[in-house]
C-alpha cells in the first residue's frame, strides 16, 4: 500500500469501528475542559474523571478557582500525579484568565499555549473539543501508532502532527484524533499489538513479521 492508500483505509476502518466519538474527559464548560486536559498529562482519563467532580464542586470557573488555596487544589488532584506543578498551574492560569481574558478561555491556540501548564497538545485538545475548530492533538500514543501504521517517519510529535495534517482533510481531524486514541487503547496498544497483530497493522503491512520499533528523538 502507498501511504495515501493506508491513510484512506485507516480512516474508513476507524469510522466503521468508532462512528461516535464521545469526549473522554467529563466537563461542562471550556474551563473545566482545560483543567481536565491539563490533569490528564501522565495520567489516565478514568482517574481524571474521578478527581474533577470534587475539584469542580469547589470551583468550576476561573473566578472561583483563583480564590482556592493551592494546597486545597493539591490535595484534591494528588491522585493524578505531578500534583505540585499541576495545582500551581491551575491556580495561576485561573488568575491569568480573570486578569487578561475576563474569565473566558481564549479561542486562540497561541494564547492558550502561554498559560501555565498548557502545552501544544493540551491547547489543541481545547481548541478541538471546546471550540470545534480543526486541530490534530498528537501525544506519544498517537505518535507511536502513526509510525506503526506508516503514516509518518517523524521522530517527534511535532513532525507527526504535521504529517497527519497533510494526509487527512481538516474536517476529519477532530474526530480522527479520538478514533485513533480509542483504537489504540482497544486493539493496538503498546502491549497488545507489536505491529503484526491488529487489523490495521496486518492490512497495511501484511508481510511484516518482526515487531515494529518506534523511532524516538
Amino acid at each position: 500500500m502507498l501511504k495515501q492508500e493506508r491513510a484512506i483505509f485507516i480512516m474508513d476502518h476507524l469510522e466503521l469501528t468508532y462512528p461516535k466519538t464521545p469526549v473522554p474527559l467529563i466537563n461542562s464548560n471550556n474551563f473545566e475542559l482545560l483543567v481536565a486536559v491539563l490533569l490528564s498529562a501522565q495520567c489516565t482519563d478514568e482517574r481524571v474523571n474521578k478527581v474533577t467532580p470534587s475539584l469542580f464542586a469547589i470551583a468550576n470557573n476561573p473566578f472561583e478557582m483563583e480564590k482556592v488555596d493551592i494546597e486545597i487544589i493539591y490535595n484534591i488532584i494528588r491522585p493524578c500525579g505531578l500534583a505540585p506543578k499541576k495545582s500551581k498551574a491551575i491556580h495561576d492560569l485561573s488568575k491569568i484568565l480573570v486578569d487578561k481574558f475576563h474569565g473566558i478561555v481564549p479561542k486562540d491556540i497561541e494564547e492558550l499555549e502561554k498559560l501555565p501548564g498548557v502545552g501544544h497538545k493540551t491547547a489543541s485538545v481545547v481548541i478541538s473539543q471546546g471550540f470545534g475548530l480543526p486541530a490534530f492533538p498528537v501525544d506519544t500514543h498517537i505518535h507511536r501508532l502513526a509510525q506503526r501504521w506508516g503514516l509518518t517517519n517523524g521522530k517527534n510529535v511535532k513532525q507527526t502532527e504535521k504529517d497527519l495534517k497533510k494526509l487527512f482533510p481538516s474536517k476529519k481531524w477532530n474526530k480522527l484524533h479520538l478514533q485513533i486514541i480509542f483504537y489504540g487503547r482497544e486493539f493496538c496498544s503498546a502491549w497488545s499489538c507489536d505491529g503484526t497483530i491488529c487489523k490495521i497493522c496486518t492490512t497495511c503491512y501484511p508481510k511484516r513479521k518482526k515487531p515494529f520499533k518506534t523511532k524516538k528523538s
Side-chain angles (χ1 to χ4, degrees), residues 22 72 94 108 130 135 137 145-146 187 189 195 197 204 207:
I72 294 175
S94 297
D108 184 286
L145 293 171
F187 300 108
S189 68
I197 297 173
C204 291
K207 295 182 180 180

Side-chain angles (χ1 to χ4, degrees), residues 45-116:
D45 293 344
E46 291 78 11
R47 182 167 294 179
V48 172
N49 286 335
K50 289 181 180 178
V51 165
T52 50
S54 298
L55 180 64
F56 297 151
I58 296 175
N60 76 335
N61 62 74
F63 296 101
E64 295 175 350
M65 191 68 77
E66 73 162 337
K67 298 175 183 177
V68 179
D69 190 272
I70 294 179
E71 189 69 22
I72 294 175
I73 299 174
Y74 169 85
N75 287 328
I76 294 174
I77 70 167
R78 188 164 48 184
C80 292
L82 303 176
K85 289 184 178 180
K86 289 179 180 179
S87 55
K88 187 176 188 305
I90 291 170
H91 180 272
D92 291 351
L93 72 80
S94 297
K95 179 170 176 35
I96 292 172
L97 289 177
V98 170
D99 293 345
K100 187 175 180 181
F101 299 100
H102 309 289
I104 299 172
V105 175
K107 201 176 183 179
D108 184 286
I109 193 166
E110 293 182 358
E111 291 292 349
L112 285 169
E113 289 176 359
K114 293 176 184 178
L115 296 173

Side-chain angles (χ1 to χ4, degrees), residues 2-217:
L2 298 175
K3 182 185 288 188
Q4 191 59 54
E5 292 175 325
R6 290 195 296 272
I8 292 172
F9 166 75
I10 289 166
M11 190 164 51
D12 291 344
H13 185 66
L14 290 176
E15 184 62 31
L16 287 172
T17 308
Y18 303 103
K20 295 182 179 181
T21 51
V23 174
L25 295 170
I26 299 171
N27 67 90
S28 61
N29 60 53
N30 285 343
F31 177 74
E32 289 188 0
L33 174 62
L34 174 62
V35 171
V37 180
L38 186 156
L39 288 175
S40 70
Q42 298 184 39
C43 180
T44 64
D45 293 344
E46 291 78 11
R47 182 167 294 179
V48 172
N49 286 335
K50 289 181 180 178
V51 165
T52 50
S54 298
L55 180 64
F56 297 151
I58 296 175
N60 76 335
N61 62 74
F63 296 101
E64 295 175 350
M65 191 68 77
E66 73 162 337
K67 298 175 183 177
V68 179
D69 190 272
I70 294 179
E71 189 69 22
I72 294 175
I73 299 174
Y74 169 85
N75 287 328
I76 294 174
I77 70 167
R78 188 164 48 184
C80 292
L82 303 176
K85 289 184 178 180
K86 289 179 180 179
S87 55
K88 187 176 188 305
I90 291 170
H91 180 272
D92 291 351
L93 72 80
S94 297
K95 179 170 176 35
I96 292 172
L97 289 177
V98 170
D99 293 345
K100 187 175 180 181
F101 299 100
H102 309 289
I104 299 172
V105 175
K107 201 176 183 179
D108 184 286
I109 193 166
E110 293 182 358
E111 291 292 349
L112 285 169
E113 289 176 359
K114 293 176 184 178
L115 296 173
V118 179
H120 180 68
K121 183 256 182 177
T122 296
S124 295
V125 172
V126 173
I127 288 295
S128 168
Q129 298 176 7
F131 295 101
L133 299 175
F136 210 131
V138 174
D139 58 12
T140 55
H141 301 293
I142 291 182
H143 173 61
R144 171 177 54 82
L145 293 171
Q147 281 197 6
R148 187 180 279 182
W149 298 343
L151 302 178
T152 181
N153 287 318
K155 294 183 179 180
N156 54 64
V157 295
K158 186 176 181 179
Q159 183 59 50
T160 296
E161 180 182 337
K162 290 181 180 178
D163 292 342
L164 293 178
K165 284 181 173 180
K166 289 179 182 178
L167 271 176
F168 299 104
S170 59
K171 64 181 180 180
K172 297 285 187 180
W173 292 353
N174 293 355
K175 188 174 186 180
L176 194 57
H177 154 254
L178 290 172
Q179 289 171 325
I180 293 174
I181 289 175
F182 296 161
Y183 187 90
R185 290 175 180 173
E186 188 170 2
F187 300 108
C188 198
S189 68
W191 55 90
S192 67
C193 177
D194 60 5
T196 66
I197 297 173
C198 80
K199 176 69 173 178
I200 289 180
C201 286
T202 55
T203 300
C204 291
Y205 291 96
K207 295 182 180 180
R208 181 187 281 163
K209 302 301 179 184
K210 296 181 180 180
F212 181 84
K213 294 184 179 180
T214 303
K215 301 173 185 176
K216 299 179 180 179
S217 56

